[in-house]
Every structure is written in C-alpha cells, then in structure tokens.
Amino acid sequence: MTNELKPCPFCGGEVHTYVAKQNSWGSLYNIWMVNCPNCWLNYPIKTQCFTEEEAINIWNKRCV
C-alpha cells in the first residue's frame, strides 16, 4: 500500500494531510484530513479518520 496522495480532482493541484481538532460532546480529539491549498478542498467530509493512512486511503479511493 502506498502513502502517495493523488492530485486534487478539481484543480489538479498537489494536496497534503493535516490534523484537525474535533470537539464532540466536550471531548477534543484529532482527525486527519486531506487539503488542497489551491481550491480549498477539505476531505473527507463525513468520515472521521483517526490515522493519516486512513485519510490517504479514503482520498485515493474517492469517487470524484
């Protein structure tokens, strides 16, 4: 399995992963996201990824 991110499906730009803080019922935890700085796409929206590998796998398997 590779950790190489596919380019953005909308602008073709290079994307990167980052950690976002999620607050749920008073508990703060980290979730991994993929971001395109060119068109401001943040992904995944409805899935919470608790590892960077999980976020990359979901990004690379997207339907767009």
Side-chain angles (χ1 to χ4, degrees), residues 22 24 29 31-32 44-51 54 58:
Q22 180 75 32
S24 177
Y29 55 94
I31 56 170
W32 283 90
I45 301 300
K46 296 182 179 180
T47 304
Q48 295 178 341
C49 300
F50 297 105
T51 67
E54 185 179 12
I58 290 172

Side-chain angles (χ1 to χ4, degrees), residues 9-37:
F10 299 107
C11 71
E14 186 176 328
V15 298
H16 65 275
T17 58
Y18 72 98
V19 175
K21 300 289 184 188
Q22 180 75 32
N23 188 354
S24 177
W25 298 93
S27 297
L28 191 62
Y29 55 94
N30 296 331
I31 56 170
W32 283 90
M33 303 283 289
V34 177
N35 172 262
C36 175

